[in-house]
Amino acid sequence: MSLAGRNTVVKVSSDGEQFTVVQDLKEVTMPMESDNQDISTFGSNHVKRLYGLRDTSYELNGLLNLNDINGQQKIRQSLVENTPLYIQFLPDGNNGFQQEVMVASYEVSASAEGVVELAIELEGTGEVTII
């Protein structure tokens, strides 16, 4: 079953309990990676691997909304004040992933012929929970 991207919801929280929607996002990416370790030995005919450390990050892009104090500004505040932040990434609007994150970057850009845009990079810390 395919999902419509327009139904995607991203929420953030400072306590991991009360989540609020991040407004005015247009694109979200969530790469999940594993640093797989090669454990092949002499005599092996095929590569054997062992799961290593896993890593998840989140890239949020959209329009800057200075009135979104519980979403966009909560993310910026987490970066500036070094406070905890949690994310829920819900591709169908209800189900998806939750994780504690650290803000890696919060970038605002503008051009004379365009709108003021926002790009945020979050790095996961700890396990991803499926919700």
Side-chain angles (χ1 to χ4, degrees), residues 12-14 20-24 64-78 85 106:
V12 291
S13 169
S14 56
T20 306
V21 173
V22 180
Q23 298 176 13
D24 295 325
L64 180 66
N65 181 341
L66 296 175
N67 294 319
D68 184 15
I69 59 173
N70 293 313
Q72 292 185 15
Q73 300 312 312
K74 185 174 283 191
I75 296 170
R76 183 181 70 185
Q77 180 181 0
S78 175
L85 186 68
Y106 185 97

Side-chain angles (χ1 to χ4, degrees), residues 10-81:
V10 175
K11 297 180 179 182
V12 291
S13 169
S14 56
D15 62 7
E17 300 292 327
Q18 300 290 336
F19 285 85
T20 306
V21 173
V22 180
Q23 298 176 13
D24 295 325
L25 295 178
K26 296 174 75 173
E27 183 177 40
V28 180
T29 305
M30 179 192 163
M32 296 177 77
E33 301 174 353
S34 178
D35 184 20
N36 297 333
Q37 302 297 309
D38 183 343
I39 59 170
S40 305
T41 58
F42 293 128
S44 297
N45 291 324
H46 298 280
V47 174
K48 294 182 182 179
R49 290 190 172 87
L50 175 71
Y51 274 118
L53 294 175
R54 295 184 184 112
D55 192 15
T56 306
S57 60
Y58 305 82
E59 299 170 16
L60 315 177
N61 295 289
L63 306 174
L64 180 66
N65 181 341
L66 296 175
N67 294 319
D68 184 15
I69 59 173
N70 293 313
Q72 292 185 15
Q73 300 312 312
K74 185 174 283 191
I75 296 170
R76 183 181 70 185
Q77 180 181 0
S78 175
L79 174 63
V80 171
E81 298 178 2

Side-chain angles (χ1 to χ4, degrees), residues 57-128:
S57 60
Y58 305 82
E59 299 170 16
L60 315 177
N61 295 289
L63 306 174
L64 180 66
N65 181 341
L66 296 175
N67 294 319
D68 184 15
I69 59 173
N70 293 313
Q72 292 185 15
Q73 300 312 312
K74 185 174 283 191
I75 296 170
R76 183 181 70 185
Q77 180 181 0
S78 175
L79 174 63
V80 171
E81 298 178 2
N82 194 27
T83 54
L85 186 68
Y86 299 84
I87 188 170
Q88 287 184 342
F89 172 53
L90 311 169
D92 70 355
N94 297 304
N95 302 291
F97 309 92
Q98 180 174 316
Q99 186 176 24
E100 183 176 359
V101 294
M102 298 178 75
V103 183
S105 70
Y106 185 97
E107 180 181 336
V108 178
S109 61
S111 64
E113 69 277 353
V115 296
V116 180
E117 296 182 337
L118 178 66
I120 299 169
E121 292 184 36
L122 306 171
E123 297 175 330
T125 179
E127 288 187 38
V128 175

